[in-house]
Amino acid sequence: MLTVMKFGGTSVGSPEAIERVAKIVAGTEGKKAVVVSAMSGITNFLVGVCKDVPGLREETLKTFEEKHLAVANALFQGERLEAFMKDFTPRLEAFRAVLYDDDARLNDPYYVDNVTSQGERFSSLLLSHKLQDMGIPSVALTSEDAGVTAVGRPLNGEGDLAACGRNMGVNTALVIAKGIVPVITGFYGVTADHHVLTFGRGGSDYAAAVVANALNADMLEIWTDVDGFMSADPRIVKGAVKIDEMTYAEASELAYFGAKVLHPRTIEPVRKKHIPLKVRNSFKPEEPGTLISQFRKPKNELLRSVAAKTDLSILTIGSPEIAYRPDITAKILSKISENNDAIYSISTSLSTLAVLIHNNDVKDTLKRLNDLEDSDVERIDVTADMALICCVGDNLMTTVGVSGEIFGAVKDAQANVNMISEGASAVSLNFVVPMDQAMAVVSALHHKFVEE
Ligand code: ADP
Ligand code: ASP
Ligand code: MG
């Protein structure tokens, strides 16, 4: 039995948290591989640093060093502290070299990936040394050491699952076979030409899923700071409740459309190998958490969980002939997708095509659409600052009156619906409202279907 255990930023954010996590690892039966995030706040700090690297180099190193050494000094003494420092000092020097590499800063498109990946390189050292201090054989592995291979554009990488399987099958599997617990850096992988490539913010969940896939794990556990996958974001909805069981389809829809408890792509790598995933609370290890797998016990909950994806824009593209010339739809969509930006929803009418994309992608998308012939595209309207509401529930496609019930709650929140996507997924019903009304809509839906 091999369990891949991922611990998020708050779970490794203090000496007490690291001790708690080390006990969880120690108490887990069978073989284990651990994946960690940076300590909470560190990645945000590094993102800030990137905006002014030459100015802040020494200050950055000092703050960074102090934050990690404060935790190390609270956790370790004597020989253990010395052993920790032996690993810590060269890593800090390597970080220094990155900050002073002006050539890379100016010319390497993956420079920000490299700087922001630094947090995980140090949290993994802290946890691995804590495990060793408890007598558990452990080694801290960077994604480079472990063989986590990535492909894609800067800040938006994905795991190369085949290459990860080949590389980790040699490097990491051997470590595990010897009964040593590897503590692997989350958040990033390495490209074939040795660039550091991050998986997007919150990417350690996804990194752990890639590791689980590569090692053919029996279980992936995502340890975080809430009791499991909940019926809504507990920061928005006070009455949110924990869900016991979900399917891959349900969890992936919600994660993709805004449930920040899992990185949007976490489910893909584990679903491919039918590896069950649990979301658990590292502050309450006695709680069973949420089990996510292919199937679950049937329930009859119209709405099981609701999420909101914010900062989106609707492009409404007018073309009088769309209905008669399907090639126009194809041309428009291929222009929009040229840069590989996400399209969150599509809807058509006789003479318009509405496409939902991220606010940040609008400018470049409009530029590309400008290349199309005037006879193909007559006009484009942009409605910015929209939010997509994703409702996941049972029998959404087969229950008469579901939409009426759901949109009734939206009406109660006095929100206007700008776009609807229903029928595309058997497990979810999505619609778009103005962003400033999204939280009211989520609360109204949750109140009507979950709390009442
Ligand atoms: P970590 O650092 O462990 O990765 P994150 O902050 O990324 O933790 O994710 C956990 C947070 O996700 C929770 O504290 C919670 O506020 C938020 N969240 C949003 N939607 C949900 C949901 N549906 N269920 C549980 N938590 C959610
Ligand atoms: N440390 C990274 C971030 O803050 C990755 C993660 O926490 O999942 O985005
Ligand atoms: Mg996270």
Side-chain angles (χ1 to χ4, degrees), residues 222-288:
I222 304 275
W223 290 85
T224 181
D225 57 4
V226 284
D227 286 351
F229 211 120
M230 306 184 76
S231 52
D233 184 342
R235 283 174 296 200
I236 298 169
V237 178
K238 290 283 162 278
V241 292
K242 199 258 304 180
I243 298 166
D244 293 336
E245 282 188 348
M246 299 175 93
T247 62
Y248 291 134
E250 292 171 330
S252 55
E253 291 279 341
L254 289 159
Y256 187 68
F257 291 118
K260 292 214 173 80
V261 60
L262 293 179
H263 178 276
R265 298 186 68 172
T266 308
I267 302 297
E268 271 170 58
V270 286
R271 177 179 7 213
K272 284 205 169 95
K273 291 200 171 163
H274 299 279
I275 301 166
L277 183 166
K278 275 187 188 167
V279 180
R280 299 190 61 182
N281 190 344
S282 75
F283 296 84
K284 290 196 227 159
E286 66 285 359
E287 291 288 328

